[in-house]
């Protein structure tokens, strides 16, 4: 009896200890400006993926989560991104003394970056034009670089003035998307630390220096810890520490948020995420935005029968009720309208946002188009020609429940319009590494993701980029779009440094793409950010930099 | 003793070709299925793919590639991950350490619980508790670990937090430490409870059934009846005569099971975000990272071989009637 009592006491003691440990609080509070931002404390967040490496210009670093959790926090960039008059636009970052300028001198494009004299690396050494020149050299002459587009057009960077980097492009090789250079997904690297060393080896597993508000420490497989960089010249972090824990399982990630083990998550817009938000999570807030860099579309192989014919592509477009599809996926979080351009929503400034609006479900038009192509409906209700039934396959990534539901809805809508559709989902590596580049598909469902505010559909829609001998099969126009009227417009968007002219050409290109129905835009894949009410400060999603872009302005309340 | 050493040496030597064949088969399957340079194909640097193919000798026949890897491995160079460019010799031990921690606590708790439940059920055969444990073990065996893990999180972490109005859950379920924490203290224990529970539920169910039937066999043996007839107290009979002999087959089963666990506890590690061997295997397989997978196979097969051997040796040591030859 005595023994049992002792055990009960032990259990009670253990439970009390656990409760005390669980309710252990944080930090004091201090007033900063008008909003009271508490200082101190450790903020733990969930990260859905782990980067493969931290050498941000190397091929192994193409991970969004790597950019959000480590790169943005430690590497300076010329631009930040802000919403102005309903459009996302570039604004100078803390690194810059003003907006970088572009002009043409002797027929060459010249970009001038004025560096903030207060900007220093974590060891106190100023960030200078040498760092721009070193980074350029690494990207142009390095091996296995993720993307050297634009950098290859640069002739030189003048470093005469350490506080001014003057970048001159080669004659006849202007680069309209110059704002994408040195950020946000690339980098400006410290030449005084890395010069003469093997950059890839120095950075791959993380680094002990910083040019941003935080230092980072990466424990592989476990998480990333950010601690304040005392030498940061901008707004200094209020928190003692930010920890990103890698939680790759979506269900576990939501449970970790619900339990308070992590105080924010940035999940992919999956069905269970939508469901959870609809049900509500106590003590939390949700930021949902359809103004994203994503375009989920039915990407059609314009070279594969029967879709080499425009009328067939249009017949498919008129068979689908895209608003109903988007509503079924995202109406619970307020997103119920299909997108009408292949440009992502954040590039609305460059888009004709109604270009594809004419493609609504219209079975009369379907019938007319099909009959004009010599098809007739058979006894089963499917279109048939020369004894062959009209059927095609949609490929997508396996294991994605949202895409599976999208496919089911499409299958149903297309069946009732007379098309037999089969589904073949596969590993993302196979789809993007093999099937799309070789053109061994008819229709594919996936998203294009823009990582900057610069338009540039030529890469995926100009005829010169159809994979083939002229680009060593490295072209990324997987849709084999070959519209002569389209090429000059998209090339203008790529090379013209006049913004107004780019906008005009980009909008005109949207109209041409819709006329030819080269592919069919579906939804914007809304960004979902769930965060605890314990987080204090300016918490806003940024479609280019993620919601974690300004964590130096966040605090944590008890 | 010399014969035992000879036996162990011979078994270890025989296991080398088994491990080599297993690793070659996996290498061959991965190389012929996945393209390790797939990421390079997204690069606008057209030479990136060529460099990758040259570095990995992809133009050579697969057996030649494997021999190249084996030759480097024999010189201590296990190669680099084609996914992360990190040394494989750093990645595998790091993952192994997490899996070893889970296995250690899982096996320790399972062994005590299974023996206790099995012995109790055998001694109190057909009692209410025996039926209860039997029923529970069938439920445990039938329960999918991923479901059990998610339910355990919901019932033991999330709901108590909401009911008690706590700031944090009583039990954590992301990793083995809270951010800044290290070591093996209370924070570690709070992280271990749920993954170990998920890991052990099926093991305890299986081992306790085994222990029960083994104990029942022993308890009905002549020497136990003789001991009881000679007046040896029941407790002494159970502990010193019956249990010791009933443990022999369980120890063998345990050794075999533990060896297989080193391959990684994919579901447990995924649900609880523990970067062990299971997660390493999945991520490497998804990326077609043959360099990591082949080392993973060698390590996993090595543990299986060692624990199989251990089972045989322990059997011989615990049962004097069995001699290795």
């Amino acid at each position: 009896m005595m023994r049992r009592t002792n055990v009960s006491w032990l259990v009670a003691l253990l439970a009390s200890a656990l409760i005390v440990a669980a309710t252990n609080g944080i930090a004091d509070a201090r007033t900063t400006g008008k909003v009271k931002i508490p200082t101190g404390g450790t903020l733990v967040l969930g990260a859905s993926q782990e980067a493969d490496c931290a050498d941000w210009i190397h091929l192994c670093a193409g991970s969004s989560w790597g950019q959000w959790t480590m790169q943005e926090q430690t590497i300076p960039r010329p631009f930040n991104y802000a919403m102005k008059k309903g459009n996302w636009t570039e604004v100078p970052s803390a690194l810059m003394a003003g907006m970088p300028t572009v002009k043409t001198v002797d027929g060459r494009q010249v970009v001038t970056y004025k560096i903030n004299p207060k900007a220093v690396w974590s060891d106190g050494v100023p960030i200078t034009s040498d760092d721009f020149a070193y980074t350029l050299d690494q990207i142009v002459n390095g091996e296995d670089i993720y993307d050297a587009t634009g950098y290859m057009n640069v002739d030189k960077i003048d470093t005469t003035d350490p506080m001014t980097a003057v970048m001159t492009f080669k004659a006849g090789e202007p680069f309209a998307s110059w704002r994408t250079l040195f950020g946000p997904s690339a980098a400006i690297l410290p030449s005084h630390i890395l010069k003469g060393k093997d950059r890839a080896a120095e950075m791959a597993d993380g680094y002990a220096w910083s040019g941003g508000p935080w230092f980072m420490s990466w424990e592989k497989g476990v998480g990333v810890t950010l601690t304040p960089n005392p030498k940061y010249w901008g707004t200094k972090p209020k928190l003692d520490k930010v920890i990103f824990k890698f939680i790759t399982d979506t269900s576990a990630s939501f449970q970790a948020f619900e339990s308070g083990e992590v105080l924010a998550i940035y999940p992919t817009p999956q069905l269970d995420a939508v469901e959870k938000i609809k049900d509500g999570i106590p003590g939390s807030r949700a930021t949902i935005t359809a103004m994203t860099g994503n375009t989920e579309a039915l990407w059609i192989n314009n070279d594969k029968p029967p879709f080499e014919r425009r009328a067939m592509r249009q017949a498919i477009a008129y068979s689908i009720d895209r608003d109903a599809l988007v509503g079924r996926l995202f109406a619970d979080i307020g997103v119920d309208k299909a997108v009408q351009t292949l440009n992502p929503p954040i590039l609305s400034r460059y888009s004709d946002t109604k270009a594809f609006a004419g493609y609504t479900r219209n079975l009369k038009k379907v019938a007319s188009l099909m009959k004009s192509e010599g098809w007739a409906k058979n006894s089963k209700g499917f279109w048939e020609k020369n004894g062959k039934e009209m059927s095609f396959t949609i490929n997508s990534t396996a294991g994605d429940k949202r895409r599976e539901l999208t496919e089911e809805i499409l299958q149903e809508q297309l069946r009732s319009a007379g098309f037999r559709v089969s589904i073949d989902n596969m590993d993302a590596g196979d789809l993007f590494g093999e099937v799309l580049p070789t053109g061994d598909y008819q229709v594919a469902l996936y998203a294009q993701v823009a990582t900057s505010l610069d338009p540039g559909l030529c890469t995926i829609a100009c005829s010169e980029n159809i994979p083939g001998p002229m680009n060593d099969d490295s072209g990324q126009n997987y849709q084999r779009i070959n519209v002569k009227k389209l090429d000059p417009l998209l090339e203008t968007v790529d090379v013209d440094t006049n913004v107004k002219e780019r906008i005009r050409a980009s909008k005109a290109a949207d109209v041409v793409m819709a006329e030819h129905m080269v592919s069919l835009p579906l939804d914007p894949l809304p960004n979902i950010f769930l965060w605890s009410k314990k987080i204090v400060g300016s918490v806003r999603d940024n479609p280019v930099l993620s919601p974690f872009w300004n964590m130096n302005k966040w605090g944590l309340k008890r | 003793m010399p014969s035992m050493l000879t036996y162990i040496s011979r078994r270890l030597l025989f296991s080398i070709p088994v491990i080599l064949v297993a690793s070659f088969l996996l290498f061959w399957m991965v190389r012929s299925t996945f393209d390790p340079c797939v990421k390079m194909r997204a690069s606008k640097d057209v030479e990136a793919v060529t460099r990758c193919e040259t570095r990995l000798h992809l133009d050579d026949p697969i057996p030649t590639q494997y021999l190249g890897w084996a030759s480097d491995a024999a010189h201590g160079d296990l190669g680099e991950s084609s996914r992360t460019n990190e040394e494989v010799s750093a990645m595998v031990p790091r993952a192994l350490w997490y899996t070893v921690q889970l296995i250690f606590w899982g096996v320790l708790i399972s062994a005590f619980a299974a023996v206790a439940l099995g012995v109790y059920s055998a001694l109190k055969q057909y009692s209410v508790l025996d039926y209860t444990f039997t029923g529970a073990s069938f439920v445990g065996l039938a329960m999918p670990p991923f479901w059990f893990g998610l339910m355990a999180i919901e019932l033991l972490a999330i709901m108590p937090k909401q009911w008690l109005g706590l700031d944090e859950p009583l039990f954590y379920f992301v990793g083995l430490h809270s951010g800044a924490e290290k070591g093996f203290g209370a924070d570690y224990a709070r992280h271990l409870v749920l993954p170990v529970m998920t890991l052990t539920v099926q093991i305890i169910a299986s081992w306790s059934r085994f222990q029960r039937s083994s104990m029942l066999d022993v308890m009905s043996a002549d020497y136990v009846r003789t001991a009881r007839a000679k007046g040896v107290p029941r407790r002494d009979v159970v502990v010193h005569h019956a249990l010791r002999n009933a443990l022999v087959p369980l120890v063998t089963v345990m050794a075999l099971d533990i060896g297989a666990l080193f391959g990684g506890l994919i579901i447990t590690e995924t649900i609880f975000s523990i970067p062990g061997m299971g997660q390493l295997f999945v991520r490497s397989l998804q990326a077609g990272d043959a360099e990591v997978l082949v080392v993973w196979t060698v390590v996993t097969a090595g543990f299986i071989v060692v624990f199989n051997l251990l089972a045989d040796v322990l059997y011989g040591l615990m049962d004097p009637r069995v001699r290795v030859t």
Side-chain angles (χ1 to χ4, degrees), chain A residues 247-264:
Chain A
I247 313 173
T248 51
D249 183 77
T250 314
S251 304
S253 149
F254 267 97
Q255 286 181 312
F257 180 65
E258 281 182 275
S259 75
E261 191 164 351
V262 298
L263 294 183

Side-chain angles (χ1 to χ4, degrees), chain A residues 200-345:
Chain A
E202 290 287 319
M203 293 182 65
D205 297 331
Y207 38 86
W209 46 265
S210 174
W214 304 92
F215 280 112
M216 68 106 156
S217 154
W218 180 12
E219 191 177 352
K220 294 271 180 88
V222 177
V224 171
T225 301
L226 303 175
T227 48
N229 168 13
K231 294 279 166 91
Y232 184 60
W233 63 96
T235 307
K236 289 200 165 45
K238 310 283 181 297
L239 294 156
D240 289 337
K241 204 175 274 187
V242 173
I243 295 167
F244 282 98
K245 287 187 145 197
F246 303 132
I247 313 173
T248 51
D249 183 77
T250 314
S251 304
S253 149
F254 267 97
Q255 286 181 312
F257 180 65
E258 281 182 275
S259 75
E261 191 164 351
V262 298
L263 294 183
I265 53 173
Y266 194 42
T268 53
Q270 282 298 346
L271 300 176
D272 47 359
V274 173
E275 197 69 26
K276 289 268 184 190
I277 292 165
K278 186 183 155 200
D279 293 346
I281 300 173
S284 72
R285 293 191 171 99
T287 303
I288 296 154
T289 173
M291 193 74 149
T292 69
N294 316 320
T295 312
E296 180 100 338
L298 278 181
W299 301 99
I300 300 175
N301 186 343
N302 288 219
D303 200 27
K304 196 86 167 172
F307 299 119
E308 81 282 22
R309 310 230 5 120
R310 184 201 309 196
M312 298 303 288
R313 299 193 296 268
Q314 288 176 324
I316 296 300
Y318 284 121
S319 303
I320 299 170
D321 184 344
R322 291 180 296 140
D323 283 348
L325 170 69
V326 176
R328 173 71 183 82
L329 296 173
F330 300 121
D332 285 337
I333 53 172
V335 179
D336 55 6
K337 290 274 178 281
V339 288
Q340 306 296 358
T341 163
L342 289 169
N343 276 309

Side-chain angles (χ1 to χ4, degrees), chain B residues 41-310:
Chain B
R41 296 189 195 285
S43 168
K44 287 167 186 160
D45 177 359
V46 290
E47 288 172 14
V49 175
T50 314
R51 277 196 299 273
C52 175
E53 288 173 348
T54 308
R55 191 174 67 244
L56 298 174
H57 307 286
L58 296 186
D59 288 337
D60 293 339
I62 291 176
T64 313
Q65 291 177 38
Y66 178 78
L67 283 176
W69 173 83
S71 163
D72 289 345
H75 290 91
D77 177 9
L78 296 179
E80 279 182 1
S81 158
S82 55
R83 176 171 61 90
T84 64
N85 295 343
E86 195 183 358
E87 294 283 334
V88 178
S89 56
M91 295 171 79
V92 173
R94 188 171 60 227
L96 190 60
W97 169 235
Y98 286 101
T99 300
V100 164
Q101 291 179 69
L102 277 185
I103 292 175
F104 175 79
W105 293 111
V107 166
L108 193 70
I109 289 164
S110 300
F112 276 110
V115 170
L117 294 176
V119 169
Y120 183 90
S121 287
L123 296 180
K124 305 276 185 184
Q125 195 182 11
Y126 305 133
S127 66
V128 174
L129 275 181
D130 177 32
Y131 282 124
T132 307
F133 292 148
T134 300
S137 65
F138 288 140
V139 172
L141 281 171
M143 201 138 44
F146 73 87
W147 183 82
F148 181 83
L150 293 174
M151 289 308 291
I153 291 172
E154 197 68 36
L155 296 174
L156 298 174
I158 296 173
M159 291 170 87
K161 179 196 170 250
Q162 288 166 357
W163 292 335
L164 299 171
L166 305 174
D167 272 357
E168 295 172 6
L170 293 176
F171 302 116
Y172 296 120
F173 49 91
V174 180
L176 290 182
H177 288 102
S178 297
E181 299 282 343
K182 299 281 173 204
F184 304 99
D187 178 74
Y188 179 67
R190 285 171 71 185
H191 278 85
L192 267 181
V193 171
L194 298 179
V196 167
M197 195 184 278
T198 305
L199 167 65
T200 54
V201 67
Q202 281 192 329
I203 301 177
I204 293 174
S206 150
W207 289 358
S208 65
R209 299 306 301 156
F210 209 83
Q211 178 65 20
R212 180 183 181 274
S213 63
S214 169
M215 194 70 184
L216 281 173
D217 283 349
V218 172
M219 288 302 286
S220 60
D222 290 345
Y223 68 91
V224 170
R225 209 175 306 122
T226 306
R228 288 288 290 144
K230 284 167 71 179
V232 180
R234 180 177 160 82
R235 184 189 169 89
D236 286 353
V237 172
V238 169
V239 175
H240 295 121
H241 297 272
L243 180 57
R244 184 177 166 173
N245 287 309
L247 279 176
V248 174
L250 180 66
V251 167
T252 310
V253 169
M254 284 166 68
L256 296 175
D257 285 353
I258 295 167
L261 288 176
F262 278 91
L265 312 150
I266 293 173
I267 291 166
T268 310
E269 288 175 3
T270 303
I271 293 173
F272 296 99
S273 308
I274 297 168
M277 291 289 274
Q279 278 212 26
L280 181 68
F281 175 77
V282 171
R283 291 189 74 177
S284 304
L285 192 66
Q286 285 170 342
D289 198 345
E291 285 67 27
V292 176
L293 287 170
V294 77
V295 176
W296 180 93
T297 313
V298 170
V299 171
T300 305
F303 275 106
I304 291 172
V305 166
V306 166
F307 275 86
N308 269 285
L309 178 62
L310 193 67

Side-chain angles (χ1 to χ4, degrees), chain A residues 54 78 126 192-193 206 242 364 374 408 458 523 537:
Chain A
H192 72 288
I193 294 174
V242 173
K364 279 186 184 165
E408 277 174 35
C458 188
D523 57 77

Side-chain angles (χ1 to χ4, degrees), chain A residues 369-444:
Chain A
L369 286 162
M370 293 302 284
K371 283 174 186 166
S372 71
E373 291 290 306
W375 296 79
K377 278 205 173 170
N378 64 17
S379 56
K380 294 178 207 160
F382 290 107
W383 295 104
E384 195 177 277
K385 187 176 176 181
N386 303 328
K388 203 176 169 193
E389 215 170 62
M390 169 67 194
S391 67
F392 65 93
T393 302
I394 299 178
N395 297 114
S396 192
T397 49
D400 186 318
K401 289 198 170 55
R402 177 179 41 76
R403 288 199 174 126
E404 283 166 7
L405 178 61
T406 305
E407 288 168 336
E408 277 174 35
I409 297 168
L410 288 172
Q411 217 171 10
E412 180 55 39
Q413 291 187 357
L414 287 161
R415 185 186 297 127
S416 63
F419 300 94
R420 194 186 286 279
V421 177
S422 54
I423 305 298
D424 181 12
N425 293 343
M426 59 193 73
D427 180 72
D430 290 338
L431 181 66
F432 298 110
E434 188 68 34
V435 172
L436 297 178
T438 55
D440 187 20
Y441 75 102
Q442 290 173 295
V443 178

